[in-house]
Amino acid sequence: MDGRSDRGAAGGCGSVREDLGANVIGALEPEENEQIGAHLAICPGCRAEHDELAKVARLLSELLPVTRVDRHPGWPSRAPSSRKPPQP
Ligand SMILES: [Zn+2]
């Protein structure tokens, strides 16, 4: 941590770090992932940050299996109270 790697890196670290969280959970566009990948290749600081986030994301996905709704197609997409079943 000498602070030098945070200055002058191509693209800048700020926007990359903002997107790292979305990157590790696969929520970014492919071209955004490419930009981040290119930055991580030249920036050890962001790479370390990315590794930490990836670790946390993996832990969270194990602790909270319901991180992606589309993995549970059987779940109702509306709140149960908004649609009552017809009563005889
Ligand atoms: Zn960086």
Side-chain angles (χ1 to χ4, degrees), residues 56-69 71-72 75:
V56 172
R58 206 177 309 130
L59 280 174
L60 281 179
S61 71
E62 287 170 8
L63 293 172
L64 309 167
V66 195
T67 50
R68 297 191 66 135
V69 178
R71 281 170 61 188
H72 298 271
W75 282 28

Side-chain angles (χ1 to χ4, degrees), residues 25-66:
I25 63 170
L28 289 179
E29 299 296 322
E31 69 179 43
E32 289 175 304
N33 284 326
E34 257 176 53
Q35 287 172 3
I36 288 178
H39 182 82
L40 294 183
I42 59 164
C43 183
C46 287
R47 202 158 55 224
E49 184 85 12
H50 178 269
D51 285 352
E52 282 300 308
L53 285 172
K55 217 182 295 174
V56 172
R58 206 177 309 130
L59 280 174
L60 281 179
S61 71
E62 287 170 8
L63 293 172
L64 309 167
V66 195

